[in-house]
Each structure stands twice: as C-alpha cells, then as structure tokens.
Amino acid sequence: MSDSATTPNLMEALVSLAKRRGFIYASSEIYGGLNGFFDYGPLGIELKRNIRDCWWRDMVQRRDDVVGIETSIIMHPKVWEASGHVAGFSDPLVDCKVSKQRYRADQLFWAPVVVDGKVVGYVSALESEKTVEELQAAAETFKRKKAITGALAPVVAKDFTEAGEAEIPLIPSPATGEAGSLTAPRAFNMMFQTNVGAMSDASSVAYLRPETAQGMFVDFKNVVDTTRVKLPFGIAQIGKSFRNEITPRNFIFRSREFEQMEMEYFIHEDADWAKCHEEWITWCENWLKSIGLPASHLSRYTHPKEKLAFYSRGTVDIMFKYPFGVQELWGIAARGSYDLTQHANASGKPQELFDEATKKKFVPHVIEPAVGVDRIFLAVLTAAYAVEDVKDEKGNVEQRTVLRLSPRLAPVKVAILPLLKNKESLTNRAKALHAKLQKRYAVQYDDGGAIGKRYRRQDEAGTPWCVTIDFDTIEKPGDTFTLRERDSMSQRRITEAELFALLDEHVY
Ligand code: GAP
C-alpha cells in the first residue's frame, strides 16, 4: 500500500488523476493550453464548491461576528494606488537574453565554485526541494570539466536578488548553462491591466484585482452604516483574483487566475492584536483539520520581523507539505490600520469609528486570514490520495486508487448501485432512493458494469459511501441496503432512515 506520503512521483499521479477523472483540465487545452490557467471539470467543480461552501458556512453563517460581501473584480484604479499595488505589487524579474526565458530572481539560485579557497566560477539552479544538492553537483561537474584540481568547498546558495553587479555577468543561465545572458533583476508589476470603456488610453486604465481584500476595506463604511456590526467584527469574501505570475508552477499551486477566501477582522486600535492574531491562526488550523487535512502535514512559518512590510505587526503562514515541498497555504497577517488609513487619505472619506467610552474617533486595526481555494484543493488531493493492494471478489490481488476525501468535501456523497441493471425491481427501488437523496445531497446513480468495478470508480472519485440495492432489499423484510464504506471497504446493512442520519452527521 502507498498513501500520499509514500507515493513516488505523487505530483504526476495527482495531475494524471485530476485529468483522467475530470477534476482539473488545462485551460483552452485544444489550443495547447495557456500557462497558469486551469479549468475545473465536473468532479473538480463539486469539490471546489464544497471547499468554498464549507468555508462560507463556518466563517460567515455560523459566526455572529462576521458578515459576507461580494465586490466587483474591476474596481476604481485609485483603489490600487491607495493600497500600494500600483507602486509596489511586483516581483523581481530576470531575463535570459539568449533563451528568452524569464525567472523570478528569488527563485533563481546561484553559488560561487570555490576550490582551495579561490572562486573559480559560478553555477546556477532553479528553486526546488534539492536546490543545494543540484548546485553542489553542478559545481563538481564544473570543476571536472575545467580539469581543476584541489578541494572543492561546499556550495553556499544565494538567490539572484543577492547577486552583485560584478557577479551577474558571470552566473550561468539555467536555460543555456552559459554565463553572460542574465539581466539584473527589475521590478515587474503583477497586476493585469485592462481598459474600461471605448477609449483605450491612460485615462481608461483599470486592473483585474490581485486580491479580494481591498473590496472589504473600500466597503468598510458601507457595511458599518447598513448593518448592525459592532467591533470586533469581520467582513469576508470569496472571489477570483488575478496575478501575472512570472513563473506559474506546481499545477494549481501558483496560477495566474485563482480564487481567494479572505476575511478582514476589524478590532479596536487598543485591542490585544497579538491575542486576536493567535486566535485566528488557531481557528484556521482547526478549520483545515475539519475538512480532512492531517495535522502531520501542517506547520507554521512566522515571517521574520525585518522582512515584514512597514505597516505589518506580524504575519504567520500555515504551511502544507505538498508533493514539491512545504509551502504557504494560508497567510494570517496583522495589518494595523494601514489599509483603512490609506483609503481615507486617498478618497478624502474618513474611515473611522466613534468610541463611546473615550468619546474619540479612531481607525480600527485589522487581522486578515487570506487563503487560496485552489491551494486548499491541491492540499486536499495531496492528503487524500492513496494506492492500495486489495482483493477482488475472486480473491485476486489488485490495486485500487482511492481518494480519502472528507465527506464534507467529497464531490459525490453516495453512489446508488442497483446490483443488476436489467432487473426492474432492483432499479426501481434504486431510482426511488436516488430521487429522494438527490433533493439534499450530491449523489450518483451508477448501474454500469460489475459491482467491484463500480466500487473502484467511486473510490477514485472519493465517494465515501456506496449503497447497493440487492435481492435482500426487495425480498427480505426491513427494506435494507448494503452500505459499503470507502476507506475500510467494510459492508453492513442499513435502512433508508439510518442512511439519512449518517449523511446528516458527516456532511455539514
Ligand atoms: N490580501 C492578502 C493576500 O492576498 P497573499 O499571501 O498574496 O495575501 C493570500 O495571498 C493567499 O492567496 C495565499 O496564501 C495563497 O493561498 C493564495 N494565492 C496567492 N497567490 C496565488 C497564486 N498565484 N495562485 C494560487 N493561489 C495564490
């Protein structure tokens, strides 16, 4: 048996399953795809919607202190000036003038080759789990090819933002292996530009939003004035964001069009922000566990103080062990009063609240948990995937691929399987059950092929339960069905009422 932690080439296996079973396709695939864009297929969109719905229910509907909104994707361009995105939402870009490849400078690593204490050349490698090993191997190859004798020092990897003016021309391009073609890093703004209206000039420039968060800041006063919210309270939103990433990669982990679930939690300027920050980090961790991500795959990364934006008091990322390494899943930032103050200054509209106790106005501070739906999707697939040896009806060992998805997220909650396709008494009972379940849950009727094959099909789609309508159902008293559980593959008899109770308990 191999679970996700032990599957070799797990990423390849996930991409292949996602395509084969209709979870995720490349966008515009018949035209060769478009780098950084993806489509969600029939099973994929159900899983994605379930992630969104679970978050919305737990974050908004089941809390008394959070309200939801949905703001437009294209906002007034001044929003992005005030937020700092026009001036500063950029990544350092490096071009290879020969291959025309582009790299993010902080993902392009290099090291001097040091022999007997002297620098004899340079090597480079793209960021990966094994960057240092690759640089070391490249240094050894360099030394051998140049027939240099002496003791090679262990490489010290640096990213390209740390390369000095004199070093840049000497560092080889990862594409060509030759030095001299890499440019110095330059700031590349990641916002997608468009034009609003018939004129296509500077006055009509607008942007596809690179984050949903600014919608909550810009509508802060609207929400305060039209609802009965009282501090501390949050405003949440789910929606598409767009970033012209230099190097979209790792499937849906870093794409150019993705979906965010963000919540801005407003607190009094004198509130204990660190306590509130910690409470939200814990809430997010618990929520991830509630949708089936194992604690063993989760960790925290606290951003070092010296790397924080000047307005930020602290940022902690919840990290997930993806097949390509431990990477950011969910960022929880304490942003002070920066955003509201910026919008107050830029719009001339104060974004203050009145403190009845002190009789003074103040600008609230904010704690922001911000996560990508697509990153959760990939984390969920990563943790759920397993390949196991199992015995078929005749006792022969075969392999099954199974997605151990939480019933909360599973695209199909129950598959209804009449034992035989051509026996009306069985199919009629199955169809009646299907129609009844379908009113409340995503269920699937499947009468095609041997029962074992149908179980495998559902295992791969992550369906937690299969219900078989067999001869005991129609011939014996009690109107019971065979319930087969995905993970244990155990079977027992169950009534319709018990089935509804089971679903009610696990699908919430
Ligand atoms: N408002 C704060 C903000 O947007 P961020 O760290 O840039 O912060 C928040 O983004 C979350 O959005 C990330 O933790 C990640 O889950 C997701 N995300 C960011 N860029 C992404 C991309 N290019 N593709 C997929 N998800 C992305």
Side-chain angles (χ1 to χ4, degrees), residues 60-105:
V60 181
Q61 297 173 337
R62 289 178 180 150
R63 295 187 65 105
D64 296 327
D65 57 349
V66 178
V67 294
I69 57 171
E70 183 173 295
T71 64
S72 63
I73 286 174
I74 295 180
M75 303 170 76
H76 197 294
K78 287 210 169 124
V79 168
W80 306 110
E81 283 170 28
S83 67
H85 284 80
V86 170
F89 192 60
S90 53
D91 270 344
L93 169 75
V94 175
D95 282 300
C96 168
K97 287 179 280 187
V98 172
S99 68
K100 308 291 176 216
Q101 293 283 333
R102 297 187 137 180
Y103 305 102
R104 241 175 78 172

Side-chain angles (χ1 to χ4, degrees), residues 253-264:
F253 177 81
R254 188 183 304 287
S255 51
R256 289 176 166 142
E257 174 179 338
F258 55 98
E259 204 159 0
Q260 288 187 307
M261 305 194 289
E262 297 196 277
M263 195 276 294
E264 308 302 327

Side-chain angles (χ1 to χ4, degrees), residues 211 213 243 245 252-255 258 260 262 328-331 368 370-372 375:
E211 61 170 26
R243 296 183 189 178
E245 297 280 356
I252 52 170
F253 177 81
R254 188 183 304 287
S255 51
F258 55 98
Q260 288 187 307
E262 297 196 277
E328 174 190 338
L329 171 59
W330 200 330
E368 176 195 73
V371 68
R375 278 198 194 175

Side-chain angles (χ1 to χ4, degrees), residues 130-169:
K130 296 191 179 128
T131 308
V132 175
E133 287 95 319
E134 280 177 29
L135 287 171
Q136 190 66 44
E140 276 156 24
T141 308
F142 179 92
K143 181 178 167 246
R144 199 178 54 248
K145 277 197 178 153
K146 302 263 174 194
I148 300 169
T149 53
L152 176 69
V155 294
V156 179
K158 294 181 179 176
D159 78 43
F160 209 77
T161 60
E162 299 168 281
E165 245 177 69
E167 286 155 331
I168 288 173

